[in-house]
Amino acid sequence: MNRLDGRTVIVTGALGGIGFSVTSFLSILGAQVIALDCIDTEQAMNKFQNIAGAKPVYYKIDLTDSAALAKLVAKIESHNPDSLVALAGIVESGELVDQSTDSIRKVIDVNLISQMELAKYQIKSWLARKVAGNIVFVSSWVDHVPWPGITPYAASKAGLVGVCRGIAREYARQGIRANLIAPGIVDVGMAAKQWREEPDYRARASRAIPLGRLQRPEEVAQGIAFLLSDQSSYMTGSTLLMDGGASLYPLDPEEAAQP
């Protein structure tokens, strides 16, 4: 893995299950991480104590507050960030007909609109400073494969694909790149809890993952580090699919035989 010395990377959702692994790994590789999340600053700094490498700079922010987001990007300019990892996201589980309009809007707002707005503000900053920036949007394998019970989440991730490819097309001439990583079922949060506590979920997820296990969050971090590195310098508008084969679903003969 290439080192990221000299890089300054903004990471949204930096203290979540995947986000903390990403923040830690990028720091180990030599990057200065500008960590964004919604938890209290003291709690965040305590969590950062054991990170090797440069300690992250932390900003508490509600990403759905557009005005606050614009002000924060202006403040972050002093750190001269050259990369953005748009990772923050939430999921509300349940059949679509049972989900409230507020719940659906919240998922779309956090996962799609806020990440697009942050990218917009950051690109404007890069254009003004003539920085060849690099954006990694964290999507999911469900951005193109339906998975029961998370339709608004899947829609938000599918939207990120359009945002990423649009940015890649619009700003390639200015040297700004944008790519996506699409992880599989990661061993954090709700998925990890269901895998361990719900036999029906584990059986269904096991059938859907040819490699037979949940994805480790550090594996997602490795993929993101690749997209931030010079090793991916000729990639833009691309998706790095790291899903353990989940998008090959269905696998077993009974399901494959069904129309």
Side-chain angles (χ1 to χ4, degrees):
M1 182 66 66
N2 277 7
R3 297 278 302 173
L4 297 174
D5 298 291
R7 302 287 176 86
T8 301
V9 186
I10 301 167
V11 179
T12 70
L15 287 159
I18 298 174
F20 188 70
S21 288
V22 172
T23 297
S24 300
F25 191 59
L26 299 184
S27 299
I28 289 170
L29 292 179
Q32 174 64 69
V33 175
I34 310 299
L36 309 185
D37 213 309
C38 59
I39 74 169
D40 290 337
T41 301
E42 183 178 355
Q43 183 181 350
M45 299 314 296
N46 287 338
K47 197 167 182 181
F48 291 150
Q49 286 303 310
N50 295 324
I51 288 182
K55 292 296 183 287
V57 176
Y58 180 68
Y59 291 96
K60 180 182 178 181
I61 180 71
D62 175 1
L63 291 170
T64 65
D65 185 336
S66 183
L69 197 56
K71 290 178 182 177
L72 180 61
V73 170
K75 183 184 294 187
I76 289 174
E77 253 190 18
S78 62
H79 300 287
N80 297 314
D82 52 53
S83 305
L84 165 63
V85 178
L87 187 153
I90 60 172
V91 60
E92 297 285 345
S93 183
E95 297 298 319
L96 180 61
V97 295
D98 296 325
Q99 295 204 26
S100 69
T101 299
D102 286 344
S103 173
I104 293 169
R105 289 186 185 277
K106 183 178 179 181
V107 168
I108 299 297
D109 202 10
V110 172
N111 296 7
L112 178 58
I113 296 174
S114 73
Q115 305 306 295
M116 180 163 45
E117 281 208 303
L118 176 57
K120 178 188 75 172
Y121 294 136
Q122 193 55 55
I123 290 168
K124 288 177 71 173
S125 174
W126 285 337
L127 293 174
R129 295 186 288 120
K130 295 182 169 54
V131 173
N134 185 2
I135 304 175
V136 178
F137 290 97
V138 180
S139 184
S140 167
W141 69 290
V142 300
D143 65 16
H144 64 291
V145 178
W147 185 255
I150 54 169
T151 293
Y153 175 83
S156 71
K157 295 301 185 178
L160 278 183
V161 177
V163 170
C164 175
R165 290 178 61 81
I167 288 171
R169 186 67 185 86
E170 287 186 43
Y171 299 104
R173 296 291 185 183
Q174 288 78 30
I176 294 173
R177 298 192 296 125
N179 292 290
L180 300 114
I181 183 169
I185 305 176
V186 186
D187 192 11
V188 296
M190 183 187 300
K193 186 174 188 297
Q194 289 179 297
W195 178 271
R196 288 167 177 79
E197 298 178 5
E198 299 178 21
D200 289 346
Y201 175 87
R202 181 162 185 155
R204 180 160 58 98
S206 295
R207 287 198 304 271
I209 308 172
L211 292 186
R213 63 170 176 83
L214 298 183
Q215 186 172 21
R216 295 187 293 270
E218 56 266 28
E219 292 172 320
V220 181
Q222 290 164 3
I224 290 171
F226 165 73
L227 291 174
L228 291 173
S229 76
D230 292 337
Q231 291 173 307
S232 68
S233 60
Y234 203 61
M235 292 174 64
T236 195
S238 300
T239 298
L240 179 60
L241 181 61
M242 296 182 69
D243 67 348
S247 55
L248 301 173
Y249 180 85
L251 296 174
D252 58 69
E254 288 185 16
E255 289 187 281
Q258 293 177 4

